[in-house]
Structures are given as structure tokens and as C-alpha cells.
Amino acid sequence: MKRQSIVMYDTTLRDGAQGEGGSFTGSSKVQLALRLDEYGFTYIEGGYAASNERDMAFFHDIRRHKLRQARIVAFGSTRRVGARAAQDEGLARMLAARTSTVTIVGKAWKLHVVDVLRTNAAENLAMISESVRFLKLHGKEVFFDAEHFYDGYADDPSFAVKTLLAARDAGADGLVLCDTNGGTLPHDIHAVTRAVIAAVHAPLGIHTHN
């Protein structure tokens, strides 16, 4: 029987700050990261590199500390619509965070491609693949967060899977299925995840809400 490995990826320092009353000072983020490292997490997401200076300060400050095992991760999004990855400010900020691992989020629900990004499916897939490829060229370990994946799969399974394949084929080291709304029932999570495992053949993760 082939042995499988499971790693834990913590998002407290970013997602945790989005909850009601959630707020971290620079020093508290560092202290919490050190504690999470002691707990044994493999990855600790430090924050949204392009979001604010506090998160960028954390990426600088945490480098002064020797971690036992955890890798600090910078979070960001795919390049903007119509932009070149090499000229995208958000991707540049992720590189400026100087983490060995980065996670980029991209749209996996066609509704958001049309209504939020105001673009088409082909451009969305290009945004994913070009962003992943750009970060890989800079020597990063890259995870792809497929935002609203389970909603996107319910709407158009083929398109949702294509977003994963675009990231995989561009060199992504892991693909993360996100239940961003937190509304997908467990039996649907199970069925969809099994279908994705059979279709994608790549390291997969899951990020659920509530």
C-alpha cells in the first residue's frame, strides 16, 4: 500500500484577522507564528503581500527568527486582467516578501470571472497559468487556491477543473480546493473531491470555511 503524506497549512495570520474582532499587531503576529511552528505546522500563511504594510513588515520581522520546521507563506492573487505577470504589482509584492513558498488565489467559478473580473474564461485561465509560471521561474514553491471551487464545480464542473489543470500544467506544487462560502454539504464535498482526485492527478489540499 502506497504511503501518503498529509501536511497542515495554517491561515490564522490572514484568515483569522478577517473574523469579527480579529486584529493582530506586528509583534503578536510574530509570536503567534512562532507558537504555530512549535505546534508542528508545515506551512504558516503570513498575510496578503499586496494588502498592507503591516503584512510586509511581518515577512521582514519573522526572518529574524529561526523556525523549527514551518515555512512562512506569502499570499496573493493572480495577475490582473490584461496585465503581464512580469509587470503585475501584486506578484511583485509577493516576491518582495522573500518567502520560499507563495500561495495565489484565482477564480474557479465562472460567475465571478464574468461578474467580478469582467473577463472571459480563456483570460482567466491565462491569468492562472501565467502567474504560476512567473512565480516558479523565480524559484518559488507555489500553491494555487481555487476560490469558490465547490460553487464553481456545481455550476460548471469542466471549467472548475480546467482552472486546476491550468495551475498544475504551469508548475504549481499543490492545488487547494476552497469552499469559500462554507455552504457545501459534507456529502457533496466528498463526492466532488473524489472526482477531482481522479481527474487531476496532482497534490491536493482543501480549505473550508465554517
Side-chain angles (χ1 to χ4, degrees):
M1 181 177 179
K2 185 178 180 180
R3 186 173 182 178
Q4 295 180 323
S5 62
I6 297 175
V7 299
M8 299 296 290
Y9 180 117
D10 186 87
T11 65
T12 303
L13 298 181
R14 182 183 63 84
D15 267 354
Q18 297 180 18
E20 183 176 356
S23 179
F24 300 117
T25 63
S27 60
S28 67
K29 287 190 71 166
V30 170
Q31 292 170 11
L32 183 52
L34 295 176
R35 183 60 59 87
L36 292 169
D37 178 47
E38 291 178 2
Y39 288 161
F41 285 97
T42 307
Y43 297 96
I44 300 172
E45 194 172 271
Y48 202 142
S51 174
N52 57 69
E53 290 305 319
R54 180 183 295 178
D55 284 353
M56 289 300 288
F58 165 79
F59 292 124
H60 175 269
D61 293 342
I62 196 64
R63 288 197 294 272
R64 300 173 183 170
H65 300 268
K66 184 174 177 57
L67 301 180
R68 295 182 180 183
Q69 62 182 6
R71 302 177 195 175
I72 301 298
V73 183
F75 180 87
S77 61
T78 56
R79 68 161 175 78
R80 293 162 297 156
V81 174
R84 292 181 58 194
Q87 298 175 336
D88 186 83
E89 182 179 354
L91 294 177
R93 295 277 285 180
M94 294 178 74
L95 295 181
R98 293 175 57 191
T99 60
S100 61
T101 305
V102 296
T103 293
I104 59 169
V105 61
K107 303 299 186 187
W109 191 0
K110 194 176 289 185
L111 172 71
H112 286 175
V113 173
V114 175
D115 291 354
V116 177
L117 296 181
R118 303 290 182 181
T119 190
N120 55 54
E123 170 66 359
N124 183 66
L125 295 177
M127 291 164 64
I128 294 169
S129 62
E130 291 170 17
S131 300
V132 171
R133 190 172 293 111
F134 173 78
L135 293 168
K136 290 299 297 181
L137 284 173
H138 283 80
K140 302 301 182 182
E141 179 182 30
V142 180
F143 294 130
F144 172 65
D145 269 8
E147 187 180 35
H148 289 279
F149 179 80
Y150 291 93
D151 296 302
Y153 191 94
D155 175 60
D156 188 335
S158 176
F159 174 74
V161 169
K162 284 179 181 177
T163 65
L164 300 177
L165 296 177
R168 183 201 68 181
D169 294 346
D173 298 279
L175 313 171
V176 183
L177 313 181
C178 302
D179 184 32
T180 311
N181 279 334
T184 307
L185 295 176
H187 65 276
D188 290 323
I189 290 277
H190 179 264
V192 172
T193 304
R194 284 182 63 91
V196 170
I197 291 172
V200 174
H201 305 292
L204 293 177
I206 186 168
H207 180 89
T208 56
H209 283 239
N210 299 327

